[in-house]
């Protein structure tokens, strides 16, 4: 991450800037999964959920505070200065990690499956291109289908490789367990539900209510400010109620938020807007701790880092799929309705009529999202039960994970 930051600050052109950002992303993308794995391996079961919830809350808070931090400093420092600033800010944490590694017992010697990693990256890249490719005709549809086929082929080759590899990147054996598979499916739904809200809230503000882009961003922040609160609350509830009810509550709140958005009037008041977005933000944040804890509790200590990374990747894939569905189904439905209105009314169609079909399109999206998230609440019943917090716990280092399934 630090090397990528320096490369970005020194990049002389857009091509090298993009490559440097990729290097930075490789390092930055590993931070949260490794943090989850540390919490999963060095804390007893009764304390893991809260620790994971705190990590998820900080991750959510960074999404909220990062743009504000950058906006405040970009004027005096310039955009290159922001990336140089990463280096002195991160060096103390780098030293702290070095000390932690010295105190952390090794979990055995493992070889990195580079070929498996390349196949996985190729599959995800092809899927991303395929789902986000602009379709403006039959030829584009076939190009999209080709990219998706390549993604499926790469994924199949990756799975076959993992079954034969002596040290697989992904614990295929663990994925067959119901609690692990259901956790992955829930995080996919969470990713799709989250990105739908993050796109629709500012979009509705701009195109339906006629507000400026700044107001759209502020409305989105009204939801995001509650996400870290939900992360901490989710960890606390998971320790006391267990993973299943906490995750189920999360998806029920998301379904309730989508239904409330479906029932929004043409211009919701401040109280209605804040109330709905509070429910949505808490719903998004609540599920991190129970889902990740359920998954990490049911894999070996040596597999927790890669499993946490896979779970994060599944969430990102859900976001990609959600974005693609919004682009193809949401905008596609609007285009169909707008074409039908133009065929019937021609240039005499009023702006209010186009606003009405916009609202109908958003309502369809919210109904579908509410149904999917409500089913997610049912799927949460297949997670691990979780264990209540044990009284009298003391912070003893668990050298080997202590609870190998």
């Amino acid at each position: 991450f630090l090397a990528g930051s320096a490369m970005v600050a020194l990049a002389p052109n857009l091509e090298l800037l993009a490559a440097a950002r990729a290097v930075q992303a490789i390092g930055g993308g590993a931070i949260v999964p490794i943090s989850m794995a540390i919490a999963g391996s060095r804390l007893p079961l009764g304390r893991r959920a809260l620790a994971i919830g705190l990590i998820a809350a900080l991750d959510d808070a960074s999404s909220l505070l990062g743009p504000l931090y950058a906006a405040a400093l970009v004027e005096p420092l310039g955009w290159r200065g922001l990336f140089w600033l990463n280096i002195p800010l991160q060096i103390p944490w780098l030293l702290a990690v070095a000390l932690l590694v010295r105190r952390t017992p090794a979990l055995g010697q493992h070889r990195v499956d580079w070929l498996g990693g390349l196949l996985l990256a190729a599959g995800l890249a092809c899927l991303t291109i395929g789902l986000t490719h602009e379709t403006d005709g039959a030829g584009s549809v076939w190009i999209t289908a080709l990219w998706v086929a390549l993604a499926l082929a790469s994924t199949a080759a990756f799975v076959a490789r993992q079954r034969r590899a002596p040290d697989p990147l992904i614990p295929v054996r663990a994925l067959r367990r119901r609690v692990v598979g259901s956790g992955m499916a829930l995080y996919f739904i969470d990713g799709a539900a989250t990105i739908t809200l993050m796109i629709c809230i500012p979009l509705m503000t701009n195109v339906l209510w006629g507000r400026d882009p700044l107001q759209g961003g502020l409305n989105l922040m009204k939801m995001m400010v509650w996400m870290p609160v939900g992360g901490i609350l989710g960890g606390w509830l998971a320790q006391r109620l267990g993973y299943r009810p906490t995750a189920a509550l999360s998806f029920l709140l998301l379904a309730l938020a989508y239904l409330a958005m479906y029932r929004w009037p043409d211009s919701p008041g401040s109280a209605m807007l804040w109330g709905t977005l509070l429910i949505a933000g808490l719903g998004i944040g609540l599920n991190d701790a129970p889902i990740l804890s359920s998954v990490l509790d049911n894999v070996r200590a040596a597999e927790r880092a890669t499993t946490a990374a896979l779970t994060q990747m599944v969430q990102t894939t859900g976001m990609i799929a959600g974005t693609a569905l919004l682009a193809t189904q949401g905008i596609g439905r609007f285009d169909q309705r707008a074409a039908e209105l133009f065929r019937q009314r021609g240039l005499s169609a009023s702006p209010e009529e186009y606003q009405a079909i916009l609202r109908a399109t958003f309502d369809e999206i919210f109904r579908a999202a509410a149904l999917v998230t409500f089913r997610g609440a049912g799927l949460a019943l297949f997670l691990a039960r979780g264990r209540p917090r044990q009284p009298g716990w003391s912070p003893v280092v668990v050298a080997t994970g202590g609870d190998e399934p």
Side-chain angles (χ1 to χ4, degrees), residues 49-314:
L50 182 57
I52 289 173
L54 286 169
I55 294 169
L58 291 172
D59 187 37
D60 290 335
S62 69
S63 300
L64 176 65
L65 298 177
L68 300 177
Y69 154 85
L73 295 178
V74 70
E75 186 68 27
L77 297 181
W79 69 267
R80 294 182 187 273
L82 286 175
F83 290 96
W84 283 122
L85 186 60
N86 280 339
I87 296 175
L89 289 178
Q90 296 301 320
I91 285 177
W93 300 106
L94 182 63
L95 295 175
V97 168
L99 292 174
L100 176 65
V101 169
R102 290 179 59 188
R103 296 169 50 194
T104 303
L107 296 175
Q109 297 295 323
H110 299 276
R111 297 178 60 185
V112 178
D113 182 14
W114 296 106
L115 177 58
L118 287 173
L119 289 171
L120 180 60
L124 185 59
C126 290
L127 180 65
T128 302
I129 295 171
L131 293 180
T132 58
H133 177 73
E134 293 185 7
T135 55
D136 55 4
S140 295
V141 172
W142 280 108
I143 292 174
T144 299
L146 176 61
W147 280 113
V148 173
L150 289 172
L152 293 175
S154 296
T155 303
F158 170 74
V159 172
R161 169 73 181 177
Q162 296 306 287
R163 289 176 175 172
R164 298 193 305 268
D167 292 313
L169 281 177
I170 303 300
V172 178
R173 173 184 58 85
L175 293 179
R176 297 173 183 170
R177 295 177 181 167
R178 184 187 65 181
V179 293
V180 177
S182 60
M184 297 289 180
L186 281 172
Y187 235 32
F188 182 90
I189 295 172
D190 171 72
T194 300
I195 199 64
T196 299
L197 286 167
M198 296 182 75
I199 291 174
C200 286
I201 290 169
L203 191 61
M204 285 188 75
T205 304
N206 301 152
V207 304
L208 198 58
W209 304 335
R211 309 289 178 83
D212 57 39
L214 175 61
Q215 188 60 49
L218 291 175
N219 282 342
L220 182 59
M221 288 180 64
K222 291 174 184 176
M223 179 189 77
M224 294 184 66
V225 73
W226 296 106
M227 290 165 56
V229 178
I232 298 172
L233 184 60
W236 185 81
L237 288 175
Q239 287 186 173
R240 285 152 178 80
L241 302 180
Y243 304 151
R244 294 177 182 177
T246 306
L249 175 62
S250 165
F251 285 94
L252 287 174
L253 286 176
L254 279 171
L256 178 62
Y258 274 118
L259 289 174
M261 293 173 74
Y262 169 70
R263 300 291 299 175
W264 270 349
D266 290 338
S267 183
S270 179
M272 181 178 292
L273 193 64
W274 268 104
T276 303
L277 298 181
L278 181 151
I279 294 171
L282 290 178
I284 293 171
L286 272 174
N287 64 52
D288 290 313
I291 293 175
L292 286 164
S293 297
S294 176
V295 171
L296 296 182
D297 285 356
N298 285 275
V299 298
R300 294 181 300 175
E303 298 171 338
R304 284 178 183 144
T306 52
T307 304
L310 176 63
T311 310
Q312 296 276 311
M313 189 193 74
V314 167

Side-chain angles (χ1 to χ4, degrees), residues 44-47 239 387-394:
L45 281 174
R47 290 284 176 169
Q239 287 186 173
R387 296 183 184 179
R389 181 172 63 88
Q390 299 297 324
W393 174 85
S394 60

Side-chain angles (χ1 to χ4, degrees), residues 370-396:
L371 179 61
V372 171
T373 49
F374 183 75
R375 290 181 175 177
L379 185 59
L381 301 179
F382 292 96
L383 294 175
R385 293 180 181 275
R387 296 183 184 179
R389 181 172 63 88
Q390 299 297 324
W393 174 85
S394 60
V396 177

Side-chain angles (χ1 to χ4, degrees), residues 313-387:
M313 189 193 74
V314 167
Q315 184 188 44
T316 302
T317 306
M319 290 183 171
I320 294 170
T323 303
L325 287 172
L326 284 174
T328 57
Q329 301 302 315
I331 297 176
R333 287 289 291 153
F334 172 76
D335 288 344
Q336 291 174 5
R337 289 189 171 107
E340 179 63 21
L341 178 62
F342 185 79
R343 187 184 66 80
Q344 294 176 355
R345 301 288 308 278
L347 296 176
S348 62
S350 66
E352 289 76 16
E353 290 176 290
Y354 282 103
Q355 287 286 95
I357 63 175
L358 265 175
R359 179 57 193 258
T361 302
F362 278 116
D363 286 348
E364 283 187 353
I365 293 170
F366 296 149
R367 285 199 306 267
L371 179 61
V372 171
T373 49
F374 183 75
R375 290 181 175 177
L379 185 59
L381 301 179
F382 292 96
L383 294 175
R385 293 180 181 275
R387 296 183 184 179

